[in-house]
Amino acid sequence: MADRIPLYPVRSAAAANRKRAAYYSAAGPGAERPSRYQLEDESAHLDEMPLMMSEEGFENDESDYHSLPRARITQRTRGLEWFVCGGWFLCSSCCDWLINVCQRKRELRARTVWLGHPEKCEEKHPRNSIKNQKYNVFTFIPGVLYEQFKFFLNLYFLVVSCSQFVPALKIGYLYTYWAPLGFVLAVTITREAIDEFRRFQRDKEVNSQLYSKLTVRGKEQVKSSDIQVGDLIIVEKNQRVPSDMVFLRTSEKAGSCFIRTDQLDGETDWKLKVAVSCTQRLPALGDLFSINAYVHAQKPLMDIHSFEGTFTREDSDPPIHESLSIENTLWASTIVASGTVIGVVIYTGKETRSVMNTSNPKNKVGLLDLELNQLTKALFLALVALSVVMVTLQGFVGPWYRNLFRFLLLFSYIIPISLRVNLDMGKAACGWLIMADGSIPGTVVRTSTIPEELGRLVYLLTDKTGTLTQNEMVFKRLHLGTVSYGMDTMDEIQSHVRDSCLQLHSQATSSTPPRKAQSSAPKVRKSVSSRVHEAVKAIALCHNVTPVYEPRAGGAGDAEYTEVDQEFSDENRAYQAASPDEVALVQWTESVGLTLVNRDLTSMQLRTPSGQILTYSVLQTFPFTSESKRMGVIVRDESTAEITFYMKGADVAMSTIVQYNDWLEEECGNMAREGLRTLVVAKRTLTEEQYQDFESRHAQARLSVHDRALKVAAVLESLERDMQLLCVTGVEDRLQEHVRPTLETLRNAGIKIWMLTGDKLETATCIAKSSHLVSRTQDIHVFRPVTSRGEAHLELNAFRRKHDCALVISGDSLEVCLRYYEHELVELACQCPAVVCCRCSPTQKARIVKLLRQHTHRRTCAIGDGGNDVSMIQAADCGIGIEGKEGKAASLAADFSIRRFEHVGRLLVVHGRSSYKRSAALGQFVMHRGLVISTMQAVFSSVFYFASVPLYQGFLMVGYATVYTMFPVFSLVLDQDVKPEMAMLYPELYKDLTKGRSLSFKTFLVWVLISVYQGGILMYGALVLFESEFVHVVAISFTALVLTELLMVALTVRTWHWLMVVAEFLSLGCYVASLAFLNEYFGIGRASFGAFLDVAFITTMTFLWKVSAITVVSCLPLYILKYLKRKLSPPSYSKLTS
């Protein structure tokens, strides 16, 4: 079926000609032609094709976009109608144009940068300043107010409070409305201001760092924010690179330096960078100004792993041209780890790779807040309906619209202003409880507004390196085809290497070495010793590792120990490489007797167990790329002049290159199942002629500007034939402690886990298996690399036929699929039990998170530990950062910061669950509190001929929402339905929360019914029982109301805490004590009819029994119902607590 689907629309020739004519028939040379990009955009509707589609579907979808504007013009009508429509059209067009002008992004172009001459730049480039602030001085107050008043709840209160300035609508005192609103806004503005000021200080610190700039007059100090494209900047050791630069010179003799990139790509290992050889060879620094040279750089891109450019020196004869690649660049936010470097700035500010790969942080709003916002809208409708009913029953007498407005204000307590205050304080308390938990020490809550989000998660997106793994490699296995060595047999390898080296040494001393390598020597079956030695030597030579010697304490500060053998002491040697696997391999060769003691760009030195130094010239190095999945090196043995091409790489890449064998595939599979990262090592001996031929072709390919990578790969491929397979190595990346049980807990809690990593596909798959992210019984579907729409279509159809298998997909294939089949891919991926995305850039990680949120409308959580995870963490509903080896960037940008991955389990399953349940209970209880008092007001008004007179005056209303009931209601934050240990033991309890049943329209309706019942009972009860003492109706009903609220808290609580008991009695005490001061408030209406509170009456038995009777009638039925519900339909957790 899939094979028959045409993947490109079949367009008629006429349509194509029409389109061509429309493109070229622009009137004259000055006219604007639609750009190529517009054409692409206009055919973008093709990208929304359904996956399984018939041929007719493609043909019928024809629509010639270019003829549309013309058709519109011909159909214009004349007259007044046209004038009105035309005016409106013109107006809206102007607005659109203005918006486009404001939002238009500058088109990025390739550039020519002259060394040390920023003034020669053809166009203006952005300032080199970092800006992480959300607001500026002018937008701060409007911005914060907008963020607050975009919530219906707050906007409603603003309108109600403002209405109190109109005398005809005034009910009670201004402070009863403005005090709570002012408090909420003051807290929010203060919190935002502090955060914003901190961001400003951090930016200022980075932007004002001083750097040395090289000018014709010598060095001068310049601020980071004043650096321009074309400046020559000197960066010292351990200093941050301020902008994207091309590396021109270094103080290191080798002409190379190391940089740390952990804040750019999250990788902790050092990267080797090479200076441009033309400028490195200049005798002195000042000579950079005596030459006439420029760098041609491609346009700014997001890809941090690639760069294409050329360096040209014009004043030499002939002009020198050098090709520039990623190894000649120093990206901003990396740190120089060795020597002092000089570079020419090519990109600044917004155009640097690090800024292009970070997204702006957004204000996160919890799902609970959005749900409560919906409920407040429903309450508002109820409020309007109730007011209309009251005015209707009045019979629309007099100025009824004014009465309507007064009723709206009287019943405004249906929507409680204290909801926001209580919720924000409740969330802050939940945050404090998380930080106070001894089981997850070091946890920090950085965003206190969303702790309940932790209880609603469906997708957890995690980084791999440093999050699931420790980023520590250990060599575990060496396999030679006929024999395999593990950790327990390393001593055998040691003795083989020792014997072989001694044998070679004795041969070398007895006879003179042949100057010419015999490539066609007869193939004799080698002994195990020599095979082991060959394999170990290949591993010791084929890598990009450099030994770094720290100066000895007390020795000469800058002494470089490169002169004699004795200086290569083992104590102060450390290895640096682009990947921890490489370091693990070289450390292992050292442990078995072959030590790498020195390396620069042109040579390598190994030390044998007997102390002899072997020197090799490095002729060519071919770095690892994600496309080739292998790396190679060509070396010449100085003692024998033999040229050898060593290569190592992933089994998929190497299996077609090495000679035929019957064991490679099987052994690689076995090692992968043990969770080891495998590398296949091979070699080929070259003659001098073969090498010279290769060298000339390779140099030619490297200088081409177009398709450079393809041409170089084609030349290299001529060497990669019929190579001799030496061995397979297995290295283990240690997992973080307790990763497996944590992932198991999260999976049982119903959370789907996706792993997004920048690492290689093989490694990612390996870790997914060893961490049990993918269970042993599950199939894994590896999504084949796709580059076009057609391939993506076929591969998606192939994946659709698989069931219940984990998906592994690379970043490039993902990009292609998202361009054409976004919806289909996300839909299929969401059905997988686990998804692994490898080779993901930081922006791709963030994009995946956004896609999940848009397509599933479920809550997502991202967890990472490096600067490359920041975008993903900020894009998710809830971001968790781990303080790891990769610095603190992720933990500072996250909403929650933890020390170890295993803490995630408790954070979500215990604290997330309880925060959500508590916040939901608190929100609904506060609403219940407002509904009860509004019901009483409604009953009161209807009894007194629908008069719009308030039942309770000024402070009684404020006191009711604060002092009298706030402590007990707030104490719900301490409530828990199951003990933390139980929640950890039964993570399945977490699953229920994702359905959002703790706060829904159903639970809300139950609370509304309870409120209406209680409000009616309290008010009618007061009126019925106190006919003789009617003047005291306010005192009686209010006392009963406060008691009812306190009892309702007791009814809601599931597990008592001593603070809850204190809160109950404290509130009751406050109320009793305040009766003495507030007697003037207990009258009816604004003029209190002389009905002051009679203390003598309150102390009588009749008052006490009547208040008690009303309270019992309002609460007892609810207690009985709750008991019956628990008996007949117990909740899931009650089975565990009993």
Side-chain angles (χ1 to χ4, degrees), residues 434-435 437-438 440-446 883 897-899 903:
I434 291 172
M435 291 195 277
D437 186 353
I440 45 174
T443 303
V444 181
V445 178
R446 299 192 193 279
E883 286 182 28
S897 162
I898 57 177
R899 292 265 176 86
H903 293 167

Side-chain angles (χ1 to χ4, degrees), residues 381-400:
L381 292 176
L383 164 69
V384 173
L386 185 60
S387 306
V388 170
V389 167
M390 284 293 180
V391 175
T392 311
L393 292 172
Q394 251 183 355
F396 293 105
V397 281
W400 61 268

Side-chain angles (χ1 to χ4, degrees), residues 390-391 393-395 397 403 407 937-949:
M390 284 293 180
V391 175
L393 292 172
Q394 251 183 355
V397 281
N403 287 344
F407 275 124
Q937 175 70 54
V939 172
F940 175 76
S941 290
S942 54
V943 168
F944 287 96
Y945 311 106
F946 309 107
S948 51
V949 174

Side-chain angles (χ1 to χ4, degrees), residues 370-382 456 916 920 924 927 931 995-1009:
L370 298 173
E371 287 170 344
L372 284 171
N373 203 36
Q374 295 297 339
L375 294 181
T376 45
K377 288 177 186 170
L379 283 175
F380 178 71
L381 292 176
R456 307 287 296 275
Y916 169 57
Q924 295 185 105
M927 285 183 170
L931 277 165
K995 296 166 187 153
R997 286 179 182 159
S998 299
L999 174 68
S1000 61
F1001 270 104
K1002 183 183 165 188
T1003 57
F1004 173 63
L1005 275 174
V1006 171
W1007 277 104
V1008 169
L1009 292 173

Side-chain angles (χ1 to χ4, degrees), residues 639-659:
S639 59
T640 62
E642 185 178 48
I643 297 176
T644 314
F645 173 36
Y646 288 108
M647 183 159 252
K648 70 173 182 204
D651 52 323
V652 276
M654 297 291 289
S655 56
T656 54
I657 294 171
V658 297
Q659 294 164 352

Side-chain angles (χ1 to χ4, degrees), residues 860-879:
T860 56
C861 172
I863 175 167
D865 69 321
N868 61 327
D869 301 316
V870 170
S871 297
M872 162 173 88
I873 283 170
Q874 289 176 339
D877 294 301
C878 173

Side-chain angles (χ1 to χ4, degrees), residues 528-546:
V528 171
S529 273
S530 63
R531 281 172 60 206
V532 169
H533 179 245
E534 270 298 330
V536 174
K537 187 170 78 173
I539 296 169
L541 288 171
C542 184
H543 51 69
N544 57 14
V545 180
T546 307

